[in-house]
C-alpha cells in the first residue's frame, strides 16, 4: 500500500494545508517514516503525533513541519494544537472506519503540515489541522481525486494563496473585446468601463501592440489583474520567440497568422504549451482553414475565423466550424468581424453561437459605443451564459 492525500482548510493566518503518505511499514512509506524520524534538520524537526502526552495515535503518524520553526512560539504551535489535531484526526478516521482497525499496526502515516508563522489562534490551528488531516486521510483511502476529476477541475480556479488568478477557458462561450485603437488614454478609459465577468476576454489588438509594444499587456494587467488577455501579434515568423515574449509579458494567449509557414505556427504552438499560454491561429485571408489545421502536427487551442475590417461587405466564413472540431475536438473556435453592428446584414451573437462559435470577438461595436458597459452587458446577455459560481468552485472539495 502506498497512498497519497492532501487537503487545505481554513483562512489565513491559521489556514491548514496537510499532505500525507499512508503505506505499509515494510514498504517505501515505512522507509520514509524511519528516515524522517532519524534524520533531523534545523527548523523542520519531525515528531510523533500524540493525542496527549503518553498516548500515541494509531496508525503511528510522523508530523513534518513545512515551514521553518524559528523560535519557541512556533514550536509551541506544532507541539501543541497541531500535533494533537493530527493525532486525533487519524484516530477518529480509524474509529469511523475510514482506516480499517485491522491495519493499525501494519501501516504508518507521514503528515507534512503548514503552520503560518503569524498564526495565533490555537483553537483555529487545532480545528483547521484536524479537518485537513481527516480529509486528507479520507482522500488518500478513497484515491481522490481520480483522473477524470482532475481533468474536469484543473482549469476552473487557482490556489488561493497565489494571490492572483490564471484564467482558463473551460466554460464557453466567451465574449472577447478587441481593443485595437492605438491610444493609451482610450484603452484606460475602456478598461474602466468594461464590466467584471467570468466570460469576458480582453484583446490587445494588433494596432495597439504595434504602437506600444507588448508593454501594453502589462498596462492592461494592472487595470484588470485576473483578466484573460490575448496578444494579437499575428505572428508570421520566429514563432517560438514571439510566443515566449507574449508569455513573459503576462498575456494568456498569442495570436499567430494562419498565413505563416507551418513550421513557424508549430514552433509558436509548442512554445505556448511550454509556457502555459494559449495558441490561437487567426485564419484571416486563409483559403482553407481546415487544411491548415489538419496539416499541423501539433494543434492550437483556438482558431479564429476572421473577417477583416476592410472587408466587412464579404460573407462570414463560419461554415467550417464543425469540420475543424472534427479535426481537433478540444478546439475552441473564435469568430470576428462585424458582429453586432446595427447595419443591415450584420450578424448577431446568437448567430455565431448557433454556428458553433466558442468565442465571439467584438471590437468597435463595444469600444466605440456611447455606453461601453451597457454595450458589453448586452453582448454578454445575448450569449445566454450564466456567471460561474465561484463559491461552488472553491468549496466543492
Amino acid at each position: 500500500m502506498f497512498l497519497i492525500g492532501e487537503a487545505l482548510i481554513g483562512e489565513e493566518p491559521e489556514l491548514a494545508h496537510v499532505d500525507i503518505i499512508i503505506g505499509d511499514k515494510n514498504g517505501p512509506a515505512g522507509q520514509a517514516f524511519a528516515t524522517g524520524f532519524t534524520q533531523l534538520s534545523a527548523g523542520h524537526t519531525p515528531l510523533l503525533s500524540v493525542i496527549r502526552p503518553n498516548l500515541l495515535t494509531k496508525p503511528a503518524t510522523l508530523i513534518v513541519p513545512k515551514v521553518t520553526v524559528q523560535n519557541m512560539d512556533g514550536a509551541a504551535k506544532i507541539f501543541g494544537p497541531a500535533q494533537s489535531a493530527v493525532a486525533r484526526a487519524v484516530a477518529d478516521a480509524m474509529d469511523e472506519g475510514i482506516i480499517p482497525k485491522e491495519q493499525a499496526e501494519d501501516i504508518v502515516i507521514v503528515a507534512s503540515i503548514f503552520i503560518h508563522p503569524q498564526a495565533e489562534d490555537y483553537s483555529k490551528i487545532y480545528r483547521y489541522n484536524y479537518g485537513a488531516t481527516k480529509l486528507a486521510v479520507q482522500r488518500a483511502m478513497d484515491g481522490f481525486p481520480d483522473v477524470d476529476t482532475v481533468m474536469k477541475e484543473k482549469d476552473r480556479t487557482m490556489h488561493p494563496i497565489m494571490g492572483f488568478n490564471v484564467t482558463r477557458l473551460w466554460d464557453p462561450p466567451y465574449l472577447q473585446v478587441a481593443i485595437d485603437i492605438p491610444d493609451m488614454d482610450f484603452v484606460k478609459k475602456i478598461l474602466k468601463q468594461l464590466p467584471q465577468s467570468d466570460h469576458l476576454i480582453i484583446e490587445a489588438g494588433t494596432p495597439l501592440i504595434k504602437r506600444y509594444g507588448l508593454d501594453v499587456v502589462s498596462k492592461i494587467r494592472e487595470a484588470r489583474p485576473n483578466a484573460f488577455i490575448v496578444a494579437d501579434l499575428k505572428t508570421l515568423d520566429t514563432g517560438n520567440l514571439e510566443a515566449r515574449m507574449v508569455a513573459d509579458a503576462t498575456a494568456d494567449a498569442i495570436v499567430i497568422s494562419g498565413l505563416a509557414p507551418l513550421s513557424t505556427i508549430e514552433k509558436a504552438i509548442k512554445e505556448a504549451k511550454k509556457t502555459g499560454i494559449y495558441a490561437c491561429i487567426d485564419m484571416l485571408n486563409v483559403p482553407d482553414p481546415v487544411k491548415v489545421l489538419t496539416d499541423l502536427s501539433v494543434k492550437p487551442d483556438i482558431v479564429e475565423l476572421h473577417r477583416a475590417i476592410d472587408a466587412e461587405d464579404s460573407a462570414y466564413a463560419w461554415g467550417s466550424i464543425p469540420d475543424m472540431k472534427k479535426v481537433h475536438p478540444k478546439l475552441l473556435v473564435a469568430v470576428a468581424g462585424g458582429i453586432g453592428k446595427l447595419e443591415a446584414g450584420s450578424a448577431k451573437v446568437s448567430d455565431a453561437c448557433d454556428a458553433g462559435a466558442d468565442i465571439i470577438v467584438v471590437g468597435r461595436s463595444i469600444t466605440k459605443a456611447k455606453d461601453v458597459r451597457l454595450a458589453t452587458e448586452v453582448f454578454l446577455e445575448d450569449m445566454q451564459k450564466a456567471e460561474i459560481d465561484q463559491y461552488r468552485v472553491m468549496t466543492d472539495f
Side-chain angles (χ1 to χ4, degrees):
M1 175 194 292
F2 190 88
L3 306 175
I4 298 171
E6 172 272 345
L8 184 148
I9 286 180
E11 299 177 349
E12 291 185 284
E14 287 77 22
L15 174 147
H17 186 228
V18 177
D19 301 317
I20 65 166
I21 293 173
I22 303 176
D24 299 318
K25 285 182 177 179
N26 295 325
Q31 181 64 49
F33 187 102
T35 301
F37 188 76
T38 56
Q39 296 184 5
L40 310 183
S41 61
H44 296 273
T45 303
L47 62 151
L48 290 174
S49 186
V50 298
I51 297 171
R52 57 175 170 77
N54 303 313
L55 185 61
L56 186 72
T57 195
K58 289 297 178 78
T61 301
L62 186 70
I63 294 176
V64 182
K66 295 181 184 183
V67 178
T68 303
V69 178
Q70 298 179 339
N71 51 46
M72 289 308 297
D73 286 341
K77 298 168 190 174
I78 298 290
F79 282 83
Q83 180 180 210
S84 182
V86 172
R88 193 176 297 274
V90 170
D92 284 350
M94 188 170 60
D95 189 37
E96 295 171 18
I98 297 171
I99 301 173
K101 288 184 180 180
E102 58 269 21
Q103 294 183 352
E105 300 298 339
D106 299 326
I107 64 175
V108 291
I109 299 174
V110 178
S112 180
I113 67 171
F114 171 86
I115 302 293
H116 197 294
Q118 296 177 6
E120 296 181 353
D121 190 322
Y122 275 36
S123 176
K124 288 183 179 180
I125 293 173
Y126 172 85
R127 294 179 187 281
Y128 291 159
N129 277 277
Y130 174 91
T133 301
K134 197 171 181 183
L135 183 55
V137 169
Q138 175 80 64
R139 288 173 172 175
M141 299 303 293
D142 291 344
F144 176 89
D146 58 28
V147 173
D148 289 340
T149 300
V150 173
M151 294 300 100
K152 178 183 177 183
E153 297 289 335
K154 67 182 178 68
D155 293 332
R156 295 189 177 212
T157 189
M158 298 300 293
H159 197 299
I161 298 180
M162 280 183 62
F164 67 96
N165 187 41
V166 178
T167 303
R168 310 296 286 177
L169 306 181
W170 60 273
D171 190 34
Y174 291 89
L175 175 65
Q176 181 169 316
V177 179
I179 306 176
D180 55 12
I181 296 176
D183 182 322
M184 189 55 68
D185 291 336
F186 177 84
V187 172
K188 292 178 180 178
K189 178 181 176 182
I190 295 301
L191 293 174
K192 286 182 180 179
Q193 295 181 71
L194 289 175
Q196 296 291 336
S197 172
D198 296 315
H199 292 92
L200 187 66
I201 296 171
I202 297 174
E203 175 192 322
T206 309
L208 187 63
I209 293 175
K210 283 185 175 181
R211 178 169 184 181
Y212 296 104
L214 280 169
D215 287 345
V216 74
V217 173
S218 63
K219 301 297 183 183
I220 296 174
R221 182 69 68 196
E222 288 175 10
R224 305 296 287 254
N226 296 324
F228 189 99
I229 302 174
V230 175
D232 188 7
L233 266 64
K234 291 188 177 65
T235 294
L236 282 164
D237 197 5
T238 61
N240 54 341
L241 175 60
E242 294 199 4
R244 175 67 64 171
M245 290 169 58
V246 165
D248 290 345
T250 76
D252 298 285
I254 178 174
V255 178
I256 311 144
S257 173
L259 297 173
L262 286 180
S263 60
T264 296
I265 298 174
E266 290 176 346
K267 286 179 180 179
I269 295 172
K270 290 176 181 178
E271 191 66 28
K273 291 182 181 296
K274 286 181 187 177
T275 55
I277 65 173
Y278 283 63
C280 172
I281 301 178
D282 188 333
M283 295 296 183
L284 180 65
N285 292 331
V286 175
D288 191 346
V290 176
K291 185 179 186 305
V292 172
L293 184 62
T294 303
D295 289 346
L296 288 169
S297 62
V298 56
K299 308 303 182 188
D301 303 286
I302 305 168
V303 164
E304 181 174 328
L305 300 179
H306 190 172
R307 190 179 72 172
I309 292 176
D310 295 335
E312 288 189 347
D313 55 348
S314 61
Y316 295 98
W318 299 348
S320 56
I321 292 178
D323 294 332
M324 286 191 293
K325 291 191 174 183
K326 287 179 182 178
V327 175
H328 184 37
K330 292 185 177 181
L331 183 73
L332 296 176
V333 177
V335 295
I339 298 173
K341 287 189 175 181
L342 298 178
E343 290 87 345
S346 64
K348 300 178 181 178
V349 170
S350 57
D351 297 330
C353 291
D354 289 344
D358 303 291
I359 301 171
I360 315 301
V361 183
V362 179
R364 301 183 188 201
S365 290
I366 287 178
T367 60
K368 297 294 285 184
K370 291 183 179 179
D371 189 329
V372 170
R373 177 176 294 274
L374 178 60
T376 308
E377 289 174 345
V378 168
F379 277 103
L380 289 167
E381 185 177 348
D382 286 347
M383 292 195 314
Q384 299 182 352
K385 187 69 177 181
E387 283 291 276
I388 299 165
D389 186 350
Q390 294 294 345
Y391 184 80
R392 183 215 69 80
V393 169
M394 293 299 296
T395 60
D396 256 7
F397 304 142

